[in-house]
Amino acid sequence: MKPFRIEIPQADLDDLHRRIAATRWPEKLPDVGWSRGVPTAYLKELAEYWRTTYDWRAMEARLNRHPQFVTEIDGANVHFLHVRSPEPDATPLLITHGWPGSVAEFLDVIDPLTDPRNHGGDPADAFHLVIPSMPGYGFSGPTEQTGWTLQRVGAAWAELMRRLGYDRYVPQGGDFGAPVSIMTALADPEHVAGVHLNMLATMPSGDPADLEGLSEEDQARIARSQRFNDELSGTMKLHSTRPHTVAYALTDSPVGQLAYIVEKFRDWADAAEVPEDAVDRDLMLTIATIFWFTGTAGSSNQTYYEVVDTLPINMTTGRYPPISAPLGIAIFPRGAFVAVRRFAERDFPTLAHWTEFDRGGHFAAMEEPDLFVQDLRAFARLLKKG
């Protein structure tokens, strides 16, 4: 393992600004809001802020405040933050992002999770944090290898935790980080103390009994998931069939990549009008900037192609393989998928913790960091009680 520090050359930053200024814009549509994609007026203002006001160096320094490392696992370069708590008995927590995601998603929760004593919490709730960049994402990429299924990532994370010397740990994730956490538990059951998810896609199995007596709220959750499949999953369908073709445009145009990313923060987050209703603008731009500087638009898209036939959920039966570790789920109601408890209990007999919040969406650690931290602390206390 080698220490790592983010140091983007000034020439790369200048080139980004030049490219933003030289953007060739599409014709403005009549006022149709967000119904056909990101509005031109919104994106022009955001791109100009990115070019003239957003401070990459400040965010770079903020990321570099936390210890970072790189190591090779199964032929891939893996970048990760490793932030140890001052509390010696802290619980090791392995947090995995998804797409379009980055380790930057978790900047607002690192200090409260590792040092609750200084953030209004109980020192007994402290965590040691391991936050890797997925293979092909950010500073773990780009990767030239194919075959990085979620199972392979889960096995790599188990190896990472072994190398760090953690005998018992808790995988946590949302988006792709959720199935990766499940796969880590399946790959390393002897060492996984519990699994915490802030997203779980649940499906009826096809048995009509699954749907009998469902509440209106649960029916609305099924409808929300169906809306994702019908309307909001265009990028998923593109990536799962031709991920490399779209990579040319995304790797060449920073504003094109920005539009591609911010649309997800508007559609999948708890945003009333614009993405910034749900997430901090500078954090969102940091994620776009990391994708740009690392040239990982293409390699990150490959995840969808790899997982089409290897998701942990069986798309025919709607069933997951059970895990032996206790499972905790935090429900944020405005996410791309919102789990139905009946289906989660059907697939996971070890479901031990279920929390439903009244706000928040797909990017929980960015949208509602206090709730995210609160739920992880509650789940870890349950695990300690045995």
Side-chain angles (χ1 to χ4, degrees):
M1 293 188 182
K2 300 177 182 178
F4 180 83
R5 183 175 176 83
I6 304 169
E7 295 178 322
I8 300 300
Q10 184 61 39
D12 290 357
L13 191 56
D14 293 341
D15 178 64
L16 170 61
H17 293 161
R18 178 187 62 78
R19 287 172 180 263
I20 296 171
T23 299
R24 184 178 179 218
W25 293 93
E27 290 186 18
K28 184 179 178 181
L29 283 171
D31 187 9
V32 294
W34 288 76
S35 63
R36 302 189 184 208
V38 182
T40 305
Y42 167 81
L43 195 64
K44 280 187 172 181
E45 188 278 326
L46 182 62
E48 185 63 9
Y49 176 88
W50 193 16
R51 186 181 73 88
T52 63
T53 305
Y54 168 77
D55 188 347
W56 163 254
R57 292 302 183 199
M59 296 305 294
E60 185 182 62
R62 189 177 173 193
L63 284 159
N64 283 334
R65 190 168 66 82
H66 303 294
Q68 298 170 70
F69 302 86
V70 291
T71 189
E72 183 179 314
I73 302 178
D74 194 12
N77 180 67
V78 174
H79 160 262
F80 61 99
L81 276 63
H82 185 200
V83 188
R84 287 189 59 85
S85 170
E87 309 298 338
D89 296 326
T91 300
L93 181 67
L94 168 67
I95 303 181
T96 305
H97 65 79
W99 184 93
S102 157
V103 297
E105 288 182 47
F106 308 105
L107 283 173
D108 286 341
V109 301
I110 289 175
D111 288 344
L113 287 173
T114 56
D115 193 9
R117 187 190 299 270
N118 287 322
H119 291 82
D122 185 339
D125 291 332
F127 294 92
H128 299 307
L129 296 185
V130 179
I131 309 176
S133 299
M134 288 258 288
Y137 291 69
F139 300 104
S140 285
T143 177
E144 297 179 359
Q145 293 181 331
T146 59
W148 274 100
T149 64
L150 302 182
Q151 290 90 335
R152 188 175 175 187
V153 178
W157 282 186
E159 171 61 15
L160 175 61
M161 297 304 277
R162 185 195 68 78
R163 292 185 189 181
L164 292 172
Y166 290 123
D167 186 60
R168 298 286 284 172
Y169 62 94
V170 176
Q172 195 285 327
D175 194 85
F176 279 136
V180 164
S181 297
I182 293 171
M183 291 304 186
T184 304
L186 292 171
D188 197 19
E190 296 85 1
H191 302 103
V192 169
V195 175
H196 184 278
L197 310 177
N198 58 274
M199 187 209 82
L200 182 70
T202 56
M203 294 172 54
S205 66
D207 183 347
D210 275 356
L211 302 176
E212 291 178 1
L214 279 180
S215 67
E216 289 185 7
E217 184 176 9
D218 281 342
Q219 292 178 39
R221 290 178 176 184
I222 294 173
R224 184 176 187 86
S225 296
Q226 189 60 49
R227 177 173 178 257
F228 174 84
N229 287 327
D230 293 343
E231 181 183 343
L232 304 181
S233 60
T235 50
M236 179 179 73
K237 291 168 183 173
L238 178 58
H239 295 178
S240 64
T241 55
R242 296 293 186 272
H244 197 59
T245 300
V246 70
Y248 293 103
L250 298 178
T251 306
D252 188 60
S253 170
V255 169
Q257 185 178 85
L258 180 65
Y260 212 62
I261 289 174
V262 300
E263 180 187 81
K264 305 311 161 203
F265 283 95
R266 200 270 180 175
D267 285 346
W268 299 353
D270 192 1
E273 297 294 337
V274 295
E276 293 91 331
D277 292 337
V279 298
D280 178 80
R281 171 177 275 203
D282 284 1
L283 278 179
M284 182 172 64
L285 287 171
T286 298
I287 292 172
T289 307
I290 289 172
F291 272 108
W292 176 258
F293 283 143
T294 58
T296 51
S299 55
S300 65
N301 293 356
Q302 299 292 328
T303 307
Y304 286 88
Y305 190 92
E306 301 289 358
V307 307
V308 169
D309 297 319
T310 59
L311 282 169
I313 187 172
N314 184 307
M315 298 305 288
T316 301
T317 66
R319 303 298 298 269
Y320 284 89
I323 60 175
S324 58
L327 174 65
I329 299 177
I331 300 296
F332 292 87
R334 302 293 184 266
F337 296 98
V338 183
V340 173
R341 183 166 187 166
R342 177 190 297 183
F343 301 157
E345 290 175 335
R346 174 199 67 197
D347 294 347
F348 296 101
T350 58
L351 181 62
H353 174 85
W354 178 278
T355 307
E356 298 192 12
F357 294 109
D358 62 359
R359 62 187 186 276
H362 198 69
F363 304 93
M366 293 177 69
E367 296 180 60
E368 300 292 344
D370 291 345
L371 298 183
F372 182 82
V373 168
Q374 170 188 316
D375 204 68
L376 273 166
R377 289 174 176 173
F379 181 60
R381 286 186 215 118
L382 181 152
L383 295 178
K384 288 177 180 178
K385 290 179 181 177

